[in-house]
Amino acid sequence: MTAMTALTDLLSASTDNRWEEAACRGDAHPDRWFPDPSESLDYAAHVCAHCPIKDACAEYAAATRQSGVWGGLEYRRGTVVRGPVAVDCD
């Protein structure tokens, strides 16, 4: 059995002490942060749209060659492959 890891568990605490403010912190749907190419980014993009550290998250993903949804964009090894996604912020 594989343990599920929250997105913020992957972030280095030493990179930015604001990671605790991440809107995705404790999210109950970690699989939605690593969608298949045919899956929608809507869920993650909506959470990211309300996040106070969205830009820092995206910069971290690019700098450390991450994959998955970071800062509302989907990355593969640090390169944006999808996004930005228009999100209704209401």
Side-chain angles (χ1 to χ4, degrees), residues 1-86:
M1 181 174 188
T2 304
M4 296 297 270
T5 303
L7 179 63
T8 52
D9 292 339
L10 301 174
L11 301 172
S12 169
S14 63
T15 304
D16 184 334
N17 61 6
R18 295 184 59 212
W19 289 124
E20 290 189 9
E21 299 174 28
C24 62
R25 186 171 180 81
D27 188 84
H29 307 287
D31 56 317
R32 294 186 182 175
W33 298 96
F34 302 94
D36 289 330
S38 63
E39 293 179 317
S40 171
L41 299 177
D42 291 351
Y43 174 83
H46 181 73
V47 173
C48 291
H50 302 282
C51 186
I53 63 165
K54 177 176 77 170
D55 294 337
C57 186
E59 290 171 14
Y60 174 84
T64 60
R65 301 182 41 84
Q66 299 296 319
S67 294
V69 179
W70 298 78
L73 305 171
E74 184 178 9
Y75 289 84
R76 290 274 190 278
R77 297 184 185 125
T79 300
V80 175
V81 294
R82 283 198 283 177
V85 177

